[in-house]
Amino acid sequence: MTHYDTIVIGGGPAGMMAAIASSYYGQKTLLVDKNRKLGKKLSGTGGGRCNVTNNGTLEDLIAGIPGNGRFLYSVFSQFDNHDLIRFFEDNGVKLKEEDHGRMFPVTDKSKTIIDCLVGKIAELGGQVRTQFEVVSVKKSDGTFQVKSADEQLTCDRLIVATGGKSYPSTGSTGFGHDIARHFKLAVTALEAAESPLLTDFPHKALQGISLDEVTLSYGKHVITHDLLFTHFGLSGPAALRLSSFVKGGETIYLDVLPDHSRAELEVYLEREREKSLKNALKSLLPERMADFIAQPFPEKVKQLTHKEREELLNRLKHLPIPVTGKMSLAKSFVTKGGVDLQEINPKTLESKQVPGLHFVGEVLDINAHTGGFNITAALCGGWVAGSLHF
Ligand SMILES: Cc1cc2nc3c(=O)[nH]c(=O)nc-3n(C[C@H](O)[C@H](O)[C@H](O)COP(=O)(O)OP(=O)(O)OC[C@H]3O[C@@H](n4cnc5c(N)ncnc54)[C@H](O)[C@@H]3O)c2cc1C
């Protein structure tokens, strides 16, 4: 039976960084993952380009983690997003910033990030075993036993980085919650977060349209970000963020031109009065969206009655969209809920009740917006969980 100082279960961003830190501290370290390759979910983020972190301030980071972000103050005081950016640059990966502080490798390839993390584990002497599915974990006499179907390994320190329960095809099936329950640690209720919205809206006409920097609102919740119309409703960061505040049965409102006031649009329409409405709107909006907005109105701008102008402005600035529901947990980008933070020491991410047992990443009751915030929480937390604290 092989014994390790540290075993890390889960080769997502949290587990890979935990294995790097543990190896850096001279620990005999093994990272196991049941997939054929590490970083399967990570590779799909940012449309396959890997939205590896966010270049915001500490306050931006906490605001980007609406699900218990404050718990991470201690983690970020040890290793934050700027340390991450330095980490990647020191290891030969140049990052670039895009809108909303989102950071990507300049190669626009997730593989660059995953290769860097995997390479660093090897450079520091850490070991990796893929296609190793842990089926049970026990602890006796201060040692953890980690079992697959046909093998048993032991370790002094066990880091659980198995992710949440969203997109289970990437490997995150909630096994870490079972480990927590086995050790009698509380797990909070799991829910879908960053969820695409199902809507009662003309999907066919709009499917595939992507709008930059529009405003979606529901009551006091006002979100300005990119939006995507899909065959079932709405996706993209604006919809994903608003999903925290709706369940289904509400009407949300879309402002497709948040940078233009109603008064400015009235002046614009007056100036363009000789044009067809579609053409006038095409200077402001993607063509198919302009067609959709113009559809119920007369052909020329000058033919609009006063009432129709008002209706047009409403359609541009306050378009009602009935929400019928959200995607299931499995089809949502992030899992809300997880290992109860009351169980966890925020300085080390170690269980308060079970010495040597750490939880990190989405397995914890922490959820963030897409835009690099979950990945930052996972990577920075991974460094802290894997480090030795003297
Ligand atoms: C399509 C998509 C897009 C996203 N976009 C963004 C984004 O732009 N920005 C952002 O911040 N977040 C984004 N996220 C969320 C982000 O990817 C996750 O929060 C992040 O990957 C969590 O990291 P993790 O290391 O905790 O877990 P995961 O990345 O889920 O890794 C967990 C690993 O544990 C392994 N594992 C589980 N059980 C076992 C077991 N029993 N034995 C062995 N191995 C096991 C799994 O195989 C998996 O590889 C996105 C998610 C999805 C699905």
Side-chain angles (χ1 to χ4, degrees), residues 82-386:
H82 300 291
D83 295 315
L84 263 184
I85 293 167
R86 257 189 307 278
F87 168 88
F88 283 110
E89 304 227 315
D90 289 349
N91 287 288
V93 175
K94 266 200 143 346
L95 302 180
K96 60 175 173 175
E97 183 175 345
E98 296 193 358
D99 59 316
H100 298 266
R102 296 183 308 149
M103 301 292 289
F104 296 86
V106 292
T107 57
D108 281 330
K109 290 197 174 80
S110 300
K111 191 173 179 304
T112 307
I113 296 293
I114 294 165
D115 286 352
C116 172
L117 294 168
V118 172
K120 195 69 190 172
I121 298 171
E123 181 192 316
L124 293 167
Q127 296 173 41
V128 173
R129 289 190 57 186
T130 51
Q131 294 177 294
F132 187 107
E133 176 166 9
V134 178
V135 294
S136 80
V137 167
K138 288 195 182 115
K139 188 179 185 193
S140 60
D141 301 328
T143 301
F144 292 96
Q145 285 117 39
V146 177
K147 267 194 182 172
S148 70
D150 47 18
E151 219 178 321
Q152 179 168 309
L153 308 171
T154 57
C155 60
D156 300 328
R157 207 158 65 108
L158 182 65
I159 301 178
V160 180
T162 45
K165 246 188 146 172
S166 308
Y167 277 69
S169 58
T170 64
S172 50
T173 50
F175 180 69
H177 306 134
D178 295 339
I179 298 179
R181 289 187 197 102
H182 168 80
F183 286 106
K184 309 221 172 336
L185 309 185
V187 177
T188 63
L190 304 183
E191 278 177 48
E194 302 295 302
S195 200
L197 299 177
L198 312 176
T199 62
D200 182 9
F201 209 60
H203 303 134
K204 283 237 160 69
L206 298 173
Q207 180 178 346
I209 296 179
S210 146
L211 300 174
D212 295 342
E213 295 296 309
V214 295
T215 297
L216 262 192
S217 58
Y218 175 62
K220 64 179 182 357
H221 306 290
V222 179
I223 298 187
T224 301
H225 216 309
D226 304 345
L227 184 71
L228 177 68
F229 290 92
T230 68
H231 61 287
F232 53 76
L234 299 175
S235 191
L240 299 181
R241 287 178 186 211
L242 203 70
S243 71
S244 303
F245 311 113
V246 294
K247 286 189 161 60
E250 307 85 354
T251 297
I252 60 174
Y253 292 89
L254 171 63
D255 179 348
V256 289
L257 293 170
D259 288 342
H260 297 71
S261 68
R262 292 174 82 99
E264 283 166 1
L265 288 170
E266 284 190 45
V267 171
Y268 174 78
L269 288 172
E270 198 45 46
R271 209 177 62 218
E272 305 292 298
R273 66 188 318 279
E274 294 302 327
K275 283 194 180 161
S276 77
L277 179 57
K278 280 185 185 171
N279 278 341
L281 293 179
K282 272 173 201 165
S283 311
L284 303 172
L285 291 169
E287 185 164 345
R288 283 176 57 214
M289 194 69 205
D291 288 349
F292 175 76
I293 296 282
Q295 192 197 321
F297 299 106
E299 197 198 331
K300 297 245 178 205
V301 176
K302 66 180 177 197
Q303 293 168 327
L304 292 173
T305 62
H306 176 72
K307 187 161 171 264
E308 283 167 338
R309 270 193 191 226
E310 280 303 301
E311 284 167 7
L312 172 64
L313 290 175
N314 279 343
R315 207 163 152 84
L316 288 165
K317 299 289 293 173
H318 201 61
L319 181 67
I321 303 181
V323 176
T324 54
K326 294 199 271 188
M327 280 292 188
S328 64
L329 173 56
K331 288 183 178 163
S332 295
F333 286 45
V334 177
T335 301
K336 181 176 176 184
V339 177
D340 194 326
L341 300 177
Q342 307 258 26
E343 306 281 4
I344 304 293
N345 177 344
K347 293 197 180 84
T348 55
L349 302 184
E350 186 177 16
S351 157
K352 291 178 187 166
Q353 296 187 47
V354 186
L357 179 64
H358 297 247
F359 290 88
V360 60
E362 214 181 303
V363 70
L364 288 169
D365 179 12
I366 293 175
N367 58 282
H369 291 317
T370 55
F373 296 104
N374 294 286
I375 298 165
T376 303
L379 287 168
C380 296
W383 178 266
V384 167

